[in-house]
Amino acid sequence: MANPANANPHSAPEVLDVVGVGFGPSNLGIAIALLEHNAAAPADAPVTARFVERQERFGWHRGMLLEDATMQVSYLKDLVTLRNPNSGFSFLSYLHDRDRLADFINYGSSFPTRREFHDYLEWAAARVGEVSDAAGSPVTVDYGSEVVEIEPVPGDGVVDLLDVVVRTGERVERLRTRNVVLACGLTPVLPRGITAGGRIWHNRDLLFHTRELAGASPARFAVVGAGQSAAETVEHLHRTFPTAEVHAVFARYGYSPADDTSFANRIFDPAAVDDFFTAPDEVKDRILGYHANTNYSVVDPELIEGLYRTHYHERVAGRERLRFRNVSRVADVVDVGDRVELAIESLIDGEREVITADAVVYATGYRSADPLWLLDAGLQQACGRDGQGRLDVQRDYRVRTGALPGGGTVRAGVYLQGPTEHTHGITSTLLSNIAVRSGEIVASLVRGTAVASPEASGRDTATV
């Protein structure tokens, strides 16, 4: 926790309308929606905002920007198009600015590579600063800064303001605000007892580690996991190190294909969020179960087919570099410094085989970071919970808040981006709905009150 004594207690801080914690794609979408709102609002009534990002520059999963890895969403599901098709921040505007619009049309796919989409996000993040400066819009981004705590500002029986304590190097300051938007991202998941190290990696850092092996000739890799990232990691290692064996270890018989059919994709439509939010809990559970194969532990069918063909051709040639250890698990891993020894156990008969690898990569997913860990203890207790102890998140992504333990009702807004699947459905953690979600949150910020009507949707905020 920050020591408040390090901040200047005698200054009268400016009161911002919103502070965004984190500046990945989700809060980038908010910043753009705020800029576009301010451009259309009266000059004397802009929404003031500051975003605080720990990284020194914009970056999104840089360690997995693999060559030829494609997005699993259409370019039309960018930061703005579903909310405002006329926006100058669209993917098409980016292509035009980069002089690649005709080339992309000829490319013949709705799915850009991950590298290109990351370049689009960087372009949009840079343009936020340029547009804000040119228009005098009070929307700013502080890179290289970290939020360390969020505290209530005592009022006359109510808490309308929050202090966001920010550390930049040795300097600590307080940003006073009426609302916070928490977009704290995802945390890599490793199996219990596994610690990342020099030769035990999470796939999030794949490119960073493999670049360190440039010029080397590793003999063997093991990749644990059965989802899209695992399959991409297997393909990347097999292609990048042409003499190395790559062992894919998973509990299934093979990779399962993602359901990318037209009807199933309706689960990612903006209207599906309304349906999910108003559905009874048992129906929510059914929807998540029915459509988990659109997103979780599934792989693009073309990648599955490519890996199988490679495996088959190697068997024909009599030299198998691509090995599938299916219906198996990694029972033990030991990093011995210059190599990793791992025991692969069959789930059918329990038989174990110990192999030596230059590295083992865990493509075992992510979980949403605890959205409330930055809130002080009193604020955490003021956040409402449902009958299962989960956060009570309203339709506009605002946490329902009540009384502080010491007295005073919290009316300042605490908005979440990410850990709202239990209330808003699968799209909560994905790119698919960023444009519409950003409009809904900004509309709520502008109104100054939560959206009470379950009928409120992205269609109501299309021009925000």
Side-chain angles (χ1 to χ4, degrees), residues 400-460:
R400 194 179 301 278
T401 52
L404 291 166
T409 300
V410 177
R411 293 197 309 204
V414 177
Y415 292 82
L416 294 186
Q417 297 219 71
T420 56
E421 185 173 284
H422 64 290
T423 52
H424 291 70
I426 289 177
T427 62
S428 293
T429 59
L430 305 178
L431 289 169
S432 300
N433 206 37
I434 281 181
V436 174
R437 182 170 70 242
S438 298
E440 292 171 345
I441 292 174
V442 170
S444 178
L445 292 168
V446 170
R447 287 194 301 271
T449 57
V451 176
S453 170
E455 288 77 25
S457 75
R459 294 183 297 276
D460 298 325

Side-chain angles (χ1 to χ4, degrees), residues 55-73:
Q55 297 183 98
E56 295 294 332
R57 61 191 177 106
F58 184 89
W60 178 67
H61 297 301
R62 288 183 178 275
M64 280 296 290
L65 298 180
L66 307 180
E67 182 180 353
D68 295 333
T70 59
M71 301 292 295
Q72 273 73 59
V73 296

Side-chain angles (χ1 to χ4, degrees), residues 236-259:
H236 176 76
L237 292 173
H238 185 271
R239 172 167 42 85
T240 304
F241 300 99
T243 61
E245 293 180 2
V246 181
H247 293 242
V249 185
F250 43 76
R252 305 180 180 191
Y253 265 94
Y255 298 116
S256 297
D259 187 351

Side-chain angles (χ1 to χ4, degrees), residues 66 206 222-225 228-240 246-250 255 303 307 321-324 361 363:
L66 307 180
L206 179 66
V223 180
V224 182
Q228 180 73 21
S229 293
E232 289 177 348
T233 298
V234 167
E235 193 278 334
H236 176 76
L237 292 173
H238 185 271
R239 172 167 42 85
T240 304
V246 181
H247 293 242
V249 185
F250 43 76
Y255 298 116
L303 179 55
L307 288 172
R321 289 200 301 117
L322 183 55
R323 308 254 182 125
F324 293 102
V361 186

